[in-house]
């Protein structure tokens, strides 16, 4: 897009990958401009995927006008303005560099890549592209959960006071069954790491974002609870059935990650990421304790934020359950009357609305690739700490914080 975009300006989207994230992002690209006043209208231009029959079905199901099995077609297509990367982490680096070099805006799913070195190169390329008006954002979509965006506002407004402690868990159970089959998320070459990078990355990003500080040191332990699994049969992203061969593949990533973190200023955080928490389906939990109060969130109750005001009269102190569906809460005014909650898919719609707005306004959206690079550094430090007997391990250089833009 060259001229100043207007609501009717088409923003042609090329999406790569048709799994769980491809579905969630496609829904968001179809929906964002219908609920938010945006400077352009996303157009589902082309979807790319490895298997002709599967990507043809996805194009039909998701609403893309075209499909291809060659992702470079999207990079080479002058009509496409945005590349949305919804593939496993081992492909992010190559696709993002090619897209940025071709002058395409980029949305890249998390984690940014499978290594610090790849992430550093992506962050450099994104910073350079930004000087040419090319926008990039990393897909830590949970920041756009109204309750979590509200928690960040409360923290920024001083509600919790001086931060005393951070506590974060991301609990899933889809791999508790030892016969749940192999998928790409269990292959280090594809995924980079297991629960640590897939779901631990979310709570690393969220706690840094909400507190406005960064993790400087970690001490971590990783475990692979189920070392082999039935070879992938119909296995998709988060489940499916193994094939009937009886073959079992080697799991090369962690099932459980536990780590302590020291934030800027010495605040300690306790982190847990696991796919073994039988009964916890998507319990992503963050609690920030401060000198004046606390905020606590559980994604399984995603329309609620628990707040504790330690400055309230002693007789009236206690956790309050705030239903974050009021017009005053971030993003909520775009949707339904008070009390009518939102879902997981809304976080992606908010993320894409903010990206489209940033492209139209010529600003850099957050989280940037630089912020995502710091998450990658934390992941690598946890792995290094685990390999070194869980010693405290320095994370490495900090990134310049960027102001959050929310709708
Ligand atoms: C699988 O653990 C997964 O799909 C993650 O990859 C997503 O980032 C998270 O939003 C839901 O769970």
């Amino acid at each position: 897009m060259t001229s100043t975009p207007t609501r009717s300006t088409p923003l042609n989207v090329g999406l790569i990958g048709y799994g769980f994230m491809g579905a969630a992002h496609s829904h968001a690209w179809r929906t964002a401009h219908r609920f938010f006043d945006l400077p352009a209208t996303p157009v589902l231009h082309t979807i790319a995927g490895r298997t002709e029959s599967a990507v043809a079905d996805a194009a039909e199901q998701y609403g893309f006008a075209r499909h291809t099995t060659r992702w470079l077609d999207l990079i080479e297509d002058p009509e496409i303005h945005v590349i949305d990367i919804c593939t496993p982490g081992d492909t992010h680096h190559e696709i993002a560099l090619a897209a940025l070099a071709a002058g395409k805006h980029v949305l890249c799913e998390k984690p940014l890549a499978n290594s610090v070195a790849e992430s550093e190169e992506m962050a450099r390329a994104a910073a350079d592209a930004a000087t040419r008006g090319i926008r990039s954002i990393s897909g830590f979509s949970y920041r756009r959960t109204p309750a979590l965006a509200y928690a960040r506002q409360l923290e920024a407004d001083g509600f919790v006071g001086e931060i005393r402690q951070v506590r974060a868990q991301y609990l899933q159970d889809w791999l508790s069954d030892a016969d749940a089959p192999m998928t790409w998320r269990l292959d280090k070459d594809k995924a980079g790491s297991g629960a640590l990078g897939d779901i631990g990355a979310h709570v690393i990003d969220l706690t840094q974002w909400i507190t406005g500080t960064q993790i400087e040191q970690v001490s971590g332990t990783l475990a692979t609870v189920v070392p082999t699994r039935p070879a992938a049969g119909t296995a998709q992203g988060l489940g499916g059935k193994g094939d009937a061969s009886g073959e079992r593949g080697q799991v090369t990533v962690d099932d459980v990650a536990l780590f302590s973190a020291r934030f800027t200023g010495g605040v300690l955080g306790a982190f847990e990421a696991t796919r073994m928490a039988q009964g916890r389906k998507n319990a992503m939990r963050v609690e920030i304790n401060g000198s004046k109060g606390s905020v606590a969130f559980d994604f399984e109750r995603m329309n609620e934020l628990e707040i504790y005001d330690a400055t309230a009269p002693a007789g009236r102190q206690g956790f309050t359950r705030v239903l974050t569906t009021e017009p005053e809460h971030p993003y909520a005014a775009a949707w339904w009357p008070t009390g009518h909650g939102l879902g997981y898919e809304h976080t992606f719609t908010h993320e894409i609305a903010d990206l489209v707005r940033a492209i139209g306004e010529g600003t850099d959206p957050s989280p940037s690739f630089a912020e995502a690079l710091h998450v990658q550094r934390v992941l690598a430090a946890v792995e290094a700490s685990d390999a070194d007997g869980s010693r405290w391990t320095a994370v490495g250089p900090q990134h310049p914080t960027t102001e959050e833009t929310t709708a």
Side-chain angles (χ1 to χ4, degrees):
M1 286 189 310
T2 47
S3 60
T4 310
T6 65
R7 187 177 178 77
S8 59
T9 306
L11 187 72
N12 294 328
V13 178
L15 188 142
I16 305 169
Y18 44 68
F20 180 5
M21 288 302 112
H25 286 223
S26 300
H27 171 87
W29 285 115
R30 291 194 303 270
T31 308
H33 65 292
R34 301 184 194 285
F35 284 85
F36 293 90
D37 182 17
L38 299 179
T41 297
V43 173
L44 279 68
H45 189 281
T46 309
I47 185 170
R50 283 171 308 173
T51 313
E52 169 58 30
S53 58
V55 72
D57 290 346
E60 172 77 24
Q61 186 182 349
Y62 298 167
F64 282 87
R66 302 161 192 80
H67 68 273
T68 176
T69 56
R70 180 175 177 269
W71 62 265
L72 276 169
D73 289 347
L74 280 56
I75 306 297
E76 296 161 0
D77 186 337
E79 285 185 7
I80 289 180
H81 303 115
V82 184
I83 296 292
D84 186 355
I85 305 171
C86 293
T87 52
D90 64 325
T91 61
H92 292 182
H93 172 259
E94 181 185 16
I95 297 172
L97 293 189
L100 291 167
K104 313 287 188 190
H105 305 294
V106 176
L107 165 52
C108 183
E109 258 299 331
K110 42 52 63 185
L112 191 62
N114 282 0
S115 72
V116 170
E118 287 181 337
S119 297
E120 284 174 336
E121 209 177 342
M122 293 166 76
R124 277 196 300 273
D128 173 60
T131 63
R132 293 180 275 116
I134 305 303
R135 308 301 163 199
S136 50
I137 186 173
S138 66
F140 289 105
S141 53
Y142 285 125
R143 290 189 181 196
R144 273 118 176 150
T145 308
L148 288 168
Y150 185 54
R152 173 180 163 80
Q153 281 179 6
L154 286 176
E155 200 285 329
D157 294 349
F159 174 79
V160 298
E162 251 189 79
I163 295 173
R164 295 283 190 249
Q165 204 176 332
V166 173
R167 187 168 304 103
Q169 305 167 317
Y170 199 148
L171 313 176
Q172 294 181 339
D173 71 356
W174 61 283
L175 288 175
S176 300
D177 176 357
D179 289 330
M182 288 299 290
T183 80
W184 67 265
R185 281 187 167 86
L186 300 174
D187 173 358
K188 186 169 182 62
D189 292 339
K190 282 272 179 211
S193 62
L196 175 66
D198 181 28
I199 48 181
H202 279 299
V203 286
I204 292 166
D205 174 67
L206 281 170
T207 51
Q208 294 187 128
W209 178 63
I210 292 171
T211 62
T213 61
Q214 295 180 38
I215 292 173
E216 295 181 339
Q217 278 187 309
V218 294
S219 169
T221 304
L222 304 177
T224 302
V225 176
V226 178
T228 66
R229 290 183 176 277
T234 61
Q236 294 302 321
L238 296 187
K241 291 271 169 278
D243 70 12
S245 68
E247 286 283 300
R248 290 182 78 86
Q250 193 69 37
V251 173
T252 53
V253 295
D254 56 282
D255 292 317
V256 179
L258 302 177
F259 61 97
S260 303
R262 196 170 271 132
F263 288 77
T264 326
V267 169
L268 286 180
F271 288 80
E272 176 183 4
T274 176
R275 294 153 162 173
M276 293 288 156
Q278 193 71 273
R280 302 297 181 196
K281 300 306 173 184
N282 203 41
M284 190 268 286
R285 298 167 172 173
V286 172
E287 180 166 325
I288 312 288
N289 304 136
S291 59
K292 291 167 60 183
S294 293
V295 291
F297 172 81
D298 181 342
F299 189 80
E300 290 188 351
R301 305 170 73 114
M302 70 167 280
N303 289 285
E304 302 172 16
L305 182 69
E306 293 223 310
I307 64 173
Y308 182 90
D309 180 358
T311 67
R316 290 221 311 272
Q317 289 183 6
F319 269 100
T320 303
R321 167 181 163 267
V322 174
L323 204 51
T324 52
T325 58
E326 299 301 319
E328 292 75 17
H329 294 124
Y331 304 105
W335 298 100
W336 322 123
T338 177
H340 296 70
L342 302 184
Y344 176 69
E345 75 281 10
H346 290 85
T347 68
F348 294 94
T349 302
H350 301 160
E351 177 180 75
I352 277 171
D354 287 347
L355 172 57
V356 174
R357 187 174 297 108
I359 291 170
E361 293 171 351
T363 58
D364 290 316
S366 186
S368 64
F369 280 16
E371 291 172 274
L373 165 59
H374 196 74
V375 173
Q376 205 78 41
R377 291 192 196 283
V378 175
L379 299 176
V382 173
E383 290 183 307
S385 173
D386 171 63
D388 189 23
S390 300
R391 287 172 196 273
W392 279 100
T393 305
V395 171
Q398 309 230 329
H399 68 78
T401 46
T402 50
E403 269 315 298
E404 173 60 356
T405 52
T406 52

